[in-house]
Amino acid sequence: PVRWRRVIAYYVLVYAVSYGLVGGFVLSGGSFKDPSWVFFAQASALTPALIALGLTRWLWRAPLSSSLGLRLRADRWLLLAWLLPWALALLALGFGLAVPGTTYDGTLQPAVDRTILSQTQLDWLRQVAARASLPPIALLVPFGLLSSVTMSFVSGCGEEIGWRGFVHTELRALGFWRNALVTGLLWLGWHLPLLALGY
């Protein structure tokens, strides 16, 4: 049977700690308009994993590997998960450019305007691109692929251990599709307020 109390306790705790951290970040002068927020977001993404580890180990005293889905193995789905977002992004770009009246801006200046990159980062990217005789946009794919297995790996594990490890394991009795739907909705609910704040 699904242990709903554990799932609800986990969700409430993750939500409270996460938004406590966001509140502390904003009250201490942090801003989502400053590119430094990316480092805060990367670090705070560890919250789901740390809470899942703490509850599983010290409150429920359950084995970590089976409770959190901690199994390392080579899997072709990992390669697909690593590459598919880039293929979808390129496909979306193609569809977007097919819409009448749209144009392509390869300068990446809109990324600075939306605080995805700082002007300093964009200038550095342009210098590297100029040395490689490539447009700056062409470097985003290899840099993105590299960062997804380095810098983003830690925050990704933070979310995966919590949501796909702990919650998905607890909801296994629902069957695959209902489990995936409920886990996805809980994950989305955790992200919605951050999206509303500008994340």
Side-chain angles (χ1 to χ4, degrees):
V2 175
R3 294 177 289 197
W4 286 107
R5 287 185 180 180
R6 287 190 179 191
V7 174
I8 292 167
Y10 170 77
Y11 188 74
V12 168
L13 198 52
V14 167
Y15 202 93
V17 170
S18 296
Y19 290 99
L21 290 172
V22 169
F25 173 72
V26 172
L27 290 173
S28 66
S31 169
F32 291 107
K33 295 182 179 178
D34 179 8
S36 67
W37 71 265
V38 173
F39 297 106
F40 167 76
Q42 293 281 328
S44 63
L46 293 172
T47 303
L50 294 175
I51 290 175
L53 288 165
L55 289 174
T56 302
R57 175 71 177 92
W58 291 295
L59 183 62
W60 299 314
R61 301 192 182 280
L64 293 178
S65 60
S66 60
S67 300
L68 304 179
L70 300 176
R71 294 180 305 273
L72 292 176
R73 65 179 190 268
D75 191 333
R76 67 180 181 274
W77 295 107
L78 293 175
L79 181 63
L80 182 66
W82 187 41
L83 299 176
L84 184 62
W86 293 99
L88 292 175
L90 291 173
L91 186 63
L93 176 63
F95 279 124
L97 291 174
V99 175
T102 59
T103 58
Y104 172 73
D105 184 349
T107 66
L108 297 180
Q109 193 60 45
V112 173
D113 299 339
R114 294 185 180 194
T115 65
I116 296 169
L117 290 172
S118 69
Q119 188 63 51
T120 305
Q121 291 169 323
L122 179 57
D123 292 342
W124 175 82
L125 185 63
R126 286 177 174 159
Q127 290 172 3
V128 172
R131 280 189 237 129
S133 300
L134 292 169
I137 194 83
L139 294 180
L140 287 185
V141 172
F143 283 160
L145 288 171
L146 180 64
S147 74
S148 66
V149 293
T150 54
M151 184 177 82
S152 296
F153 179 79
V154 173
S155 61
C157 282
E159 290 199 40
E160 290 298 309
I161 289 170
W163 300 112
R164 202 175 73 77
F166 175 76
V167 175
H168 188 76
T169 300
E170 286 293 326
L171 299 178
R172 196 173 11 212
L174 295 177
F176 177 79
W177 293 108
R178 285 189 298 168
N179 183 347
L181 177 64
V182 173
T183 302
L185 289 174
L186 291 173
W187 177 84
L188 175 64
W190 180 63
H191 279 79
L192 279 177
L194 277 179
L195 294 171
L197 286 169
Y199 173 77

